[in-house]
Amino acid sequence: MLMLPELIVIGTAFLLLTLDLIWSDRQRPALALVGLSGVGAAIAATLTLMPQSGELFGGRFAVDAVAWWFKLLFLIAGGLTIALSMDMLDGRIGAGGTQLGSRGEYYVVMLFNLAGMMYMASARDLVSLYVSLELATIPLFVLAAWKRDAQSTEAGLKYVILGALASALFLYGMGILYGLSGEMRLEAMGKAMQAGPAFWLGVAMLAAGVGFKLTLVPFHMWAAEVYQGAPAPVTAYLSVASKGAGLALMFHVFYRVLGPLAGHWDLALAIFASLTMTVGNFAAIVQKNIKRFMAFSAISQAGYLLLGFLGKPGDGVPAMLFYLLVYIVTNLAVFGVIIWYSNHTGRERIEDYRGLSRTNPLVALAMMIALFGLAGIPPLSGFVGKFFLFSIAAKAGFHWLVALAAVNSTVSLYYYLRVVRQMYIEPAEAGDSALRVTPAMTGALAVTVLASVILGVIPYFYETVSAQTAGWLQGTLW
Amino acid sequence: MIEQLATLAPGPFHWLSLTVLLFAIGIYGILTRRNAVGILMAVELALNSGAMNFVVFNKYVAPSAVDGQIMAIFVIAIAAAEVVVGMAIFVTLFGHRRTVDVTRMDQITDAAGTN
């Protein structure tokens, strides 16, 4: 029963595979609706089961409040991504060359990836953690190369090579920690270890694996190229779901495994966070391609997210989960507009967005709200999320880091405003007329933009996350 | 000589040296090979050294269970999946570029994507 959401997702994937085989091409646009209803059913199952906790398979699969929240966030991200991909896969596009093929397989691969991420949130020993981590990674290589043109496959090549390297490092690091502790269960490992040279080597290798998934700065090089080369909906999925999976992995490694030894690496985490946000922000300023620009923006957002690890878990865990929720809806709103615009025009440069407020005022408004949300302008949810994260770092005594994060937020406002300036101040190109907004896109944009406003205005959501997760692991590890 | 060598059983130090060596060769290969298939082979070496680590530690640190050996089997299966996906991408890429030389993968730049 506790595995119901995962089973629904996997069942939907197999159902889609069968339907794709027996349906005619005229019926196939309904595949997206089947996928969406599967994800919707999984969300409903998650919400119903949410207060429960327990374990299966001798403790190898366990759910608690934080695991449920991660699953809910992954499902939201996956469902929205399916809604955003529909137009591109069904051919409701204006420009040639942007259509993606094989829609049945596309949804299947995405749903399997989603199931992998959900299993990872529940993994409790090294075998299930590694297997689910790979299930949450390998399908993404396929998705990045989905368009099969020169750029998309090049993105796939870069992703597969660097992903495999990160996976090898992570595996070797896990092997070292296994050797030091003789334990496979995540929670027993940390208790059986003392810090020493081999331990540090193992932790550094694990950090490299986690950093790759979460695009922390020394390990971020793949992001720009893969985000730019991959099809736009896949980039959207990578930037939210894959990053969420990285955070879930980091929770496992730094809270569950290394929790008893916490406090050794606060400074190291602070340095990672400062590097990540600074490099991401300053690189974003000069980008011309909007997907590449969003890649660096996503890197800097990962830096803010990392601030939550500095304080006590009771404060940090709810703040990070809430910020991830905010980031998922806000970033998907921006990507919704990017996908819609490239569907209809085939254009992807920032300056191509000039005059969008004249031709499609509502879409431009949605993009502006979402960009301001990412920058953290007060009434929007991005501000609230950042406020909690910054206050955790301040409480932990990292005042220099909070100052740096505030400066970075200001810098980020500058480059998000670059896009807004193109849309609102520059005149439209001669001959540009209003572009059609499809129902799927309208729905996805409305949901994401409204959520990114409401999450910041109504405190109910943060209070719920906080009430359910603030006591996570208390008493067992610290 | 042969008899003397036959009595010398390798200990954990020898096995761990072997895995470290394999891992180092793998990383070296990833950094220096120009052909993407060669890089994938190097990645396999690194992954297998990680799997071997688990088996070695299983034998010398936690011999009461077989967790580490199970892990090694899973790693082998996953590595195979990784290689299949990688090769499929390389084959598609080869169709476009007539090469899988990683030093020439430079089409994605900030100026690209203008259509």
Side-chain angles (χ1 to χ4, degrees):
Chain A
M1 220 19 215
L2 291 170
M3 214 191 264
L4 194 62
E6 284 90 345
L7 293 179
I8 293 176
V9 170
I10 291 176
T12 313
F14 279 114
L15 180 69
L16 281 174
L17 208 55
T18 321
L19 289 178
D20 186 43
L21 200 65
I22 57 178
W23 274 359
S24 69
D25 213 35
R26 203 170 45 81
Q27 293 167 307
R28 282 200 185 115
L31 286 171
L33 299 179
V34 177
L36 270 181
S37 23
V39 173
I43 289 178
T46 309
L47 288 173
T48 319
L49 294 168
M50 210 146 175
Q52 297 180 31
S53 62
E55 50 183 51
L56 300 171
F57 303 124
R60 286 183 177 78
F61 176 98
V63 277
D64 51 26
V66 169
W68 284 125
W69 271 100
F70 269 119
K71 288 178 191 187
L72 191 62
L73 294 177
F74 297 150
L75 284 167
I76 292 172
L80 286 171
T81 312
I82 291 178
L84 292 175
S85 320
M86 274 162 76
D87 289 343
M88 219 170 196
L89 290 155
D90 294 341
R92 286 188 293 272
I93 47 173
T98 50
Q99 187 170 4
L100 293 175
S102 326
R103 67 195 124 188
E105 289 90 336
Y106 177 90
Y107 298 128
V108 171
V109 171
M110 186 169 278
L111 286 177
F112 277 133
N113 182 259
L114 197 55
M117 292 177 184
M118 292 165 70
Y119 276 116
M120 193 170 77
S122 280
R124 290 294 180 272
D125 79 340
L126 287 183
V127 177
S128 52
L129 181 67
Y130 186 68
V131 173
S132 51
L133 170 67
E134 290 303 306
L135 185 56
T137 309
I138 294 177
L140 292 174
F141 305 152
V142 187
L143 287 174
W146 203 264
K147 207 164 156 195
R148 298 196 197 174
D149 62 1
Q151 286 208 8
S152 184
T153 41
E154 183 181 321
L157 172 129
K158 286 174 176 166
Y159 198 14
V160 82
I161 289 176
L162 292 175
L165 172 61
S167 161
L169 284 171
F170 189 78
L171 182 71
Y172 204 88
M174 286 199 312
I176 291 176
L177 294 195
Y178 171 63
L180 289 174
S181 64
E183 286 281 351
M184 287 300 250
R185 301 169 61 87
L186 298 181
E187 274 152 37
M189 282 172 80
K191 289 176 186 149
M193 279 186 291
Q194 266 108 40
F199 170 79
W200 288 114
L201 179 66
V203 172
M205 286 177 142
L206 287 181
V210 174
F212 171 82
K213 254 331 254 147
L214 206 52
T215 60
L216 303 182
V217 147
F219 319 107
H220 70 293
M221 287 312 294
W222 61 279
E225 315 256 299
V226 173
Y227 280 33
Q228 187 185 344
V234 175
T235 310
Y237 188 68
L238 276 178
S239 73
V240 292
S242 174
K243 204 151 284 199
L247 191 68
L249 182 64
M250 193 149 175
F251 271 37
H252 280 318
V253 172
F254 278 84
Y255 283 148
R256 221 175 268 286
V257 179
L258 306 175
L261 302 147
H264 283 78
W265 32 70
D266 272 4
L267 187 63
L269 280 175
I271 291 169
F272 269 129
S274 58
L275 274 178
T276 305
M277 55 190 153
T278 313
V279 171
N281 270 322
F282 282 89
I285 292 175
V286 295
Q287 303 304 323
K288 297 185 186 70
N289 181 294
I290 193 143
K291 271 149 76 186
R292 205 178 174 88
F293 164 82
M294 286 307 290
F296 286 107
S297 144
I299 291 171
S300 72
Q301 301 283 344
Y304 302 134
L305 209 50
L306 217 52
L307 296 182
F309 279 99
L310 295 173
K312 284 200 290 290
D315 303 328
V317 168
M320 282 186 279
L321 284 173
F322 180 72
Y323 194 69
L324 187 61
L325 174 64
V326 167
Y327 171 72
I328 284 174
V329 291
T330 316
N331 215 39
L332 281 180
V334 175
F335 267 106
V337 177
I338 293 174
I339 292 166
W340 165 81
Y341 198 67
S342 84
N343 274 354
H344 287 286
T345 62
R347 296 185 222 152
E348 280 183 354
R349 281 177 310 166
I350 291 176
E351 60 184 58
D352 291 332
Y353 284 73
R354 80 172 78 120
L356 191 65
S357 69
R358 316 285 196 292
T359 54
N360 288 79
L362 277 177
V363 179
L365 181 68
M367 180 82 153
M368 185 175 75
I369 292 175
L371 287 173
F372 281 164
L374 285 180
I377 301 281
L380 300 166
S381 56
F383 169 75
V384 185
K386 271 189 195 169
F387 175 79
F388 289 131
L389 289 174
F390 288 10
S391 64
I392 287 166
K395 253 191 259 174
F398 286 93
H399 298 291
W400 62 272
L401 188 57
V402 178
L404 186 69
V407 170
N408 267 306
S409 288
T410 320
V411 173
S412 77
L413 186 61
Y414 166 74
Y415 63 74
Y416 290 126
L417 277 173
R418 267 176 70 210
V419 184
V420 177
R421 175 173 164 269
Q422 293 291 342
M423 294 191 303
Y424 277 87
I425 294 177
E426 299 289 322
E429 251 177 286
D432 273 7
S433 55
L435 300 167
R436 200 167 65 92
V437 188
T438 54
M441 203 50 91
T442 317
L445 280 180
V447 168
T448 47
V449 171
L450 280 181
S452 76
V453 177
I454 286 172
L455 286 173
V457 181
I458 301 177
Y460 168 77
F461 297 96
Y462 178 74
E463 283 169 3
T464 315
V465 180
S466 176
Q468 291 191 1
T469 60
W472 185 60
L473 291 183
Q474 210 126 48
T476 59
L477 289 183
W478 40 73
Chain B
M1 180 70 189
I2 296 289
E3 291 80 26
Q4 195 188 359
L5 279 177
T7 55
L8 286 175
F13 176 77
H14 302 100
W15 289 117
L16 289 178
S17 306
L18 178 63
T19 67
V20 168
L21 211 61
L22 267 179
F23 192 77
I25 294 170
I27 296 291
Y28 177 79
I30 293 169
L31 294 176
T32 54
R33 304 296 304 203
R34 299 177 64 175
N35 189 312
V37 180
I39 293 182
L40 217 53
M41 289 161 70
V43 166
E44 279 297 287
L45 274 185
L47 278 173
N48 282 333
S49 83
M52 198 165 161
N53 234 354
F54 275 93
V55 178
V56 173
F57 284 133
N58 193 172
K59 180 165 163 58
Y60 291 102
V61 178
S64 56
V66 288
D67 289 335
Q69 301 185 27
I70 303 279
M71 181 76 182
I73 292 173
F74 275 101
V75 171
I76 291 166
I78 287 168
E82 207 144 25
V83 169
V84 167
V85 167
M87 287 309 292
I89 291 172
F90 297 166
V91 168
T92 320
L93 186 68
F94 188 79
H96 288 288
R97 303 264 180 97
R98 293 282 136 205
T99 175
V100 282
D101 183 344
V102 291
T103 56
R104 290 172 56 196
M105 295 299 143
D106 49 7
Q107 278 202 11
I108 301 177
T109 59
D110 198 20
T114 52
N115 281 15

